[in-house]
Amino acid sequence: MIQKLQSFKARKSLGQNFLFDTNITRKTVDLFGPQADDIVIEIGPGFGALTEMLLPSGCKYTGIEIDERLIVELEKKFKKFKNFSIRHLDFRKLNIEEISKKKGSVRLIGNIPYHITSSIIFTAFEQHFLMKDMMLMMQKEVAERVVAEHGKKDYGILSVISKTYAHPKIVSTVPPSVFIPKPEVDSAIVHWDFSQKQERQPADPDFFRIFVRTIFNQRRKMLRNTLKKLGDVALFNEENEIDLQRRPEALSVIEIIDLSNKFMAFTPEEKSV
Ligand code: SAM
């Protein structure tokens, strides 16, 4: 396997750093704990380092891989498993409902391309209602942003979206030495449990996404100033006793959800801000 990885022309543009250490892949899959009746989607299986640990559980497995060269390898390696299927696709174009329509059913796993981590996480969260849980390996700094608490410098869009619909936790860290080629950064594994969401939810998820993006794009500015971009702050202020001198980074996730739900009524056209 190591020889195969060393002779493969890895594409940096696809974030290709392959795991070769079976201690790490086994530990990762053990943390995930696949069961026979699980519906598992793996993002970017590569040469199948995690796949080979997942399939023996009997889970209903679908791999989503963008590199055609690897599709050939994966089909060859896993064709004996009846629970294996692979699709040649950019994960960000996947409609998860094509794999399962059942709410809270899908388990997502992957050692993902680091340069598009945020975009992969946001794609998954757009379909959060289908998800049971998700475990992704990513750059450690990004993992720290996902789990950051309000008031901390890493707190931002990734933390708020993650904690609105799930409970994220760093479950392990991974050194560069277990990959070929070696990445220049440390890695960490984050697990999101979608059964643990905030007690109140965004009234309109599309508006909420725009709201969070807008306030955190200027995270040092007072809400009073950033909210101007979205609607009538003066009228909102008259009718609500909310301190708009605060900065977004000081607000907890539930405060942001509540604020967004209230502010929606003060936008020109609620959904199409
Ligand atoms: N899971 C394998 C492992 O751990 O050895 C490979 C991990 S490598 C960091 C990322 C994998 O994601 C590569 O196989 C790459 O081709 C694939 N990939 C990159 N962009 C993708 C995308 N947008 N959708 C699906 N797969 C992608």
Side-chain angles (χ1 to χ4, degrees), residues 14-19 44-46 64-66 70 90-91 111 113:
L14 295 179
Q16 291 180 333
N17 300 93
F18 301 100
L19 285 167
I64 309 293
E65 174 57 62
I66 204 168
L70 297 169
D90 181 334
F91 170 74
N111 166 24

Side-chain angles (χ1 to χ4, degrees), residues 125-232:
F125 271 94
E126 276 167 24
Q127 307 177 70
H128 66 89
F129 48 91
L130 294 171
M131 224 82 84
K132 182 177 183 205
D133 66 346
M134 169 161 105
M135 205 171 96
L136 302 179
M137 192 179 289
M138 64 191 71
Q139 186 176 342
K140 191 160 161 260
E141 280 75 14
V142 181
E144 282 160 357
R145 278 162 45 203
V146 170
V147 300
E149 296 292 337
H150 65 283
K152 298 279 187 280
K153 74 169 177 19
D154 287 335
Y155 184 65
I157 304 172
L158 270 178
S159 356
V160 174
I161 297 293
S162 286
K163 292 175 183 204
T164 295
Y165 303 110
H167 174 70
K169 192 176 166 195
I170 295 180
V171 289
S172 188
T173 53
V174 183
S177 56
V178 300
F179 300 89
I180 293 177
K182 255 193 232 174
E184 280 157 18
V185 292
D186 283 332
S187 303
I189 302 173
V190 178
H191 180 262
W192 289 257
D193 176 352
F194 286 81
S195 71
Q196 293 185 54
K197 47 176 175 272
Q198 294 290 328
E199 50 180 317
R200 292 183 295 284
Q201 289 288 292
D204 179 333
D206 292 338
F207 176 75
F208 182 65
R209 221 178 28 247
I210 295 165
F211 186 87
V212 175
R213 236 175 243 289
T214 307
I215 61 174
F216 278 100
N217 271 347
Q218 290 175 299
R219 50 184 299 131
R220 303 259 168 257
K221 281 205 171 166
M222 284 183 232
L223 289 164
R224 199 179 50 204
N225 297 323
T226 39
L227 288 179
K228 273 184 201 152
K229 293 201 171 99
L230 292 175
D232 194 334

Side-chain angles (χ1 to χ4, degrees), residues 238-257:
E238 270 173 35
E239 295 183 20
N240 291 279
E241 282 177 16
I242 290 176
D243 179 7
L244 296 182
Q245 310 247 55
R246 294 174 80 191
R247 291 172 169 78
E249 57 199 8
L251 268 64
S252 69
V253 175
I254 196 74
E255 284 179 304
I256 294 176
I257 296 171

Side-chain angles (χ1 to χ4, degrees), residues 5 11 13-20 25 42-51 64-67 70 89-92 110-116 120 137 179:
L5 289 178
R11 292 196 181 134
S13 63
L14 295 179
Q16 291 180 333
N17 300 93
F18 301 100
L19 285 167
F20 70 91
T25 51
E42 185 183 359
I43 306 170
F47 280 95
L50 297 172
T51 321
I64 309 293
E65 174 57 62
I66 204 168
D67 188 337
L70 297 169
L89 188 70
D90 181 334
F91 170 74
R92 294 166 299 172
N111 166 24
I112 58 177
Y114 290 1
H115 62 300
I116 53 168
I120 283 181
M137 192 179 289
F179 300 89

